[in-house]
Amino acid sequence: AAERRWGDPHSPAVIRADWEGPAPELQAPVSVLSRAGCDIAPIDITDDAQVRMLESFVWADQCDRLAQLRAAVALARRDPPRLDRAAASAWLKTQLARPVWGTATIVFHSIIWWYLSEAEREAVAEVIEDAGRRATDTAPLAWLRMEIGGTEVGAADVRLRLWPAGEDVLLARAHPHGRHVAWCAPTAASPEGRSL
């Protein structure tokens, strides 16, 4: 199979995955105007002691994962994102209070859903869906997530919900650590002919 590459070819952080299915069209120019996140116990990746603590969670025989973590830390240290100490639902309620004209707002999370209480999961979904109802063609909202809980054991569903239409699409099924991706969403080159 042909090798597919996306992103900066000189990035120190590289995610290698076995890919199954068609390649999505990812050549559109994108400008990230701002980025931020939240955690109830954020780790400061500019603090060597906190990074060493984070590294301690990688099993000793997983040298590739440790190298990948260190590369990701090096990349994030170049331009650290804002990371607020907050619960997801409260933080999102503030962040999504108003649509931003001329900008697509993207809410992204991966492999966190199981760590949230049922009440917090419901609150997060309600906040995002409420913001989706306020989205417009000139201020769209996307909810992109990779979470375990689909029908395939050992795989996470990669889903995208777009507003103002509110359509939810299964993009792929993936190994929770990104080792394998089975792309299943239609692409411009697929028989369905629809591009996301």
Side-chain angles (χ1 to χ4, degrees), residues 21-25 183-196:
E25 308 260 345
W183 189 261
C184 49
T187 64
S190 71
E192 294 88 348
R194 186 173 54 126
S195 180
L196 296 174

Side-chain angles (χ1 to χ4, degrees), residues 147-185:
E147 295 294 346
I148 296 170
T151 56
E152 190 175 329
V153 175
D157 285 352
V158 181
R159 303 195 73 86
L160 176 65
R161 187 163 179 193
L162 293 170
W163 285 275
E167 180 183 14
D168 191 74
V169 178
L170 175 66
L171 299 178
R173 291 211 164 84
H175 182 278
H177 297 162
R179 294 183 187 131
H180 178 83
V181 177
W183 189 261
C184 49

